[in-house]
C-alpha cells in the first residue's frame, strides 16, 4: 500500500504512542520512515525504534520552534529529495488546563501554549514541508471528538483540536491542486503518555468503551492501519476529512443498548 513511500513521522515518544502504531503499520506495509523527537529524553527510544522499523534517520524537533521545524524538513529533503507523506501526531496542554471546569482553569498562557503546540505546529510543519512534497502525497494529523462536543476536562485542548481540524480543511483546499491530500483521524481514547495527562482519563476510556456500537475501545493499531490507508494511493480521492476511528462512538446521541 505504501511501498517505498518516504514518510516523516512527528510525535513518537514511546511504544504506547499512537505514532508508534502508525509507524509499525507503515513499516510492515513497505514505507521508509524518518522520525523526529521532541528532546534528548526520547532519543534512545527513538533510535532503537528507528532501527526496528528500518528508519532512514532521526532528528530532534521541538515543534514550538520554527528553526527546529525548518531543520527537520531540511534533513528529510537532504536524505530523500522529496517527501511522500507526513504524520503529525503531536499534542500538549499544561496539566492545569486539562483538569476541572474550563471557567476555573483556562488562562491566556495555557490557551496560547496549547494552541501553539497542538494546532499551530501542524500548520508550521505543512507550510515548511509542502514545497518538497511529491505529487500524490498525503498528510495526516490526529484529533479527538472533544473538538466537536464538550468533554469533561478536555477544555482548551478541545478548542485546539477544533482549530486543527479547520487547518486540515484549509490546507486541503489549497494543496489539492498540487496533488497533496490532507486529512485527520479522530481517534477514540487510547492509553498513552499524552492521554494520561487528562484528568479522569480512566473514566473516559471506560465510558467510551461501554458506549460504542462496537462495544469496545479501539486499538492504536486500528488507528495505525487507517493512517496507512490515508497515506497510500488507495485513499487518492479523500482529502479535507476528519475520519473517525472510534468504534462508531460519534454517530450516536445515546447508546441504544441502555
Ligand atoms: N491517546 C488518545 O486517547 C488520543 C485520542 C485522540 C487523539 N489523540 C492525539 O494523538 C496525538 C498523539 O498523542 P498520543 O496519545 O500518541 O500521546 P503521546 O504522548 O505518545 O504523543 C504525543 C507526542 O507529542 C509530542 N510533543 C508534545 N509537545 C511537543 C513539542 N513541543 N515538540 C515536539 N513534539 C511534542 C510528544 O513528544 C509526544 O511524542 C495527539 O495529537 C493526541 O491529542 C490521542
Amino acid at each position: 500500500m505504501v511501498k517505498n513511500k518516504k514518510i516523516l513521522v512527528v510525535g513518537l515518544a514511546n511504544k504506547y504512542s499512537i505514532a508508534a502504531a502508525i509507524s509499525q503499520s507503515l513499516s510492515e506495509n513497505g514505507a521508509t520512515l524518518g522520525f523526529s523527537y521532541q528532546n534528548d529524553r526520547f532519543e534512545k527510544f527513538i533510535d532503537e525504534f528507528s532501527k526496528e522499523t528500518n528508519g532512514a534517520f532521526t532528528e530532534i524537533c521541538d515543534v514550538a520552534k520554527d528553526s527546529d521545524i525548518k531543520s527537520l524538513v531540511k534533513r528529510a529533503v537532504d536524505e530523500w529529495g522529496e517527501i511522500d507523506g507526513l504524520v503529525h501526531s503531536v499534542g500538549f496542554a499544561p496539566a492545569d488546563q486539562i483538569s476541572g471546569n474550563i471557567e476555573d482553569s483556562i488562562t491566556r498562557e495555557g490557551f496560547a501554549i496549547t494552541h501553539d503546540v497542538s494546532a499551530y505546529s501542524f500548520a508550521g510543519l505543512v507550510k515548511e514541508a509542502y514545497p518538497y512534497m511529491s505529487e500524490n502525497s498525503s498528510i495526516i494529523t490526529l484529533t479527538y471528538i472533544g473538538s466537536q462536543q464538550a468533554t469533561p476536562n478536555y477544555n482548551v485542548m478541545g478548542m485546539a483540536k477544533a482549530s486543527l481540524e479547520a487547518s486540515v480543511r484549509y490546507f486541503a483546499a489549497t494543496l489539492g491542486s498540487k496533488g497533496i491530500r490532507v486529512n485527520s483521524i479522530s481517534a477514540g481514547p487510547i492509553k498513552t503518555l499524552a492521554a494520561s495527562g487528562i484528568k479522569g482519563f480512566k473514566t473516559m476510556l471506560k465510558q467510551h468503551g461501554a458506549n460504542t456500537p462496537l462495544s469496545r475501545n479501539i486499538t492504536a493499531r486500528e488507528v495505525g492501519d487507517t493512517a496507512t490507508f490515508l497515506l497510500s494511493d488507495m485513499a487518492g480521492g479523500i482529502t479535507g476529512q476528519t475520519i473517525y476511528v472510534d468504534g462508531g462512538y460519534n454517530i450516536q446521541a445515546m447508546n441504544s443498548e441502555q
Side-chain angles (χ1 to χ4, degrees), residues 93-101 104-107 109-110 153 155-156 197:
D96 66 345
Q97 299 295 294
I98 42 177
S99 167
N101 291 350
D104 301 324
S105 58
I106 194 159
T107 62
E109 195 193 1
N153 302 305
N155 300 345
V156 70

Side-chain angles (χ1 to χ4, degrees), residues 11 13 17-18 38 61-63 89-90 142-143 161 187 189-190 192-194:
S17 293
I18 293 176
Q38 183 182 353
C61 178
D62 178 344
V63 296
S89 188
V90 174
L142 271 296
T143 186
K161 290 299 192 192
I190 297 167
T192 62
L193 190 64

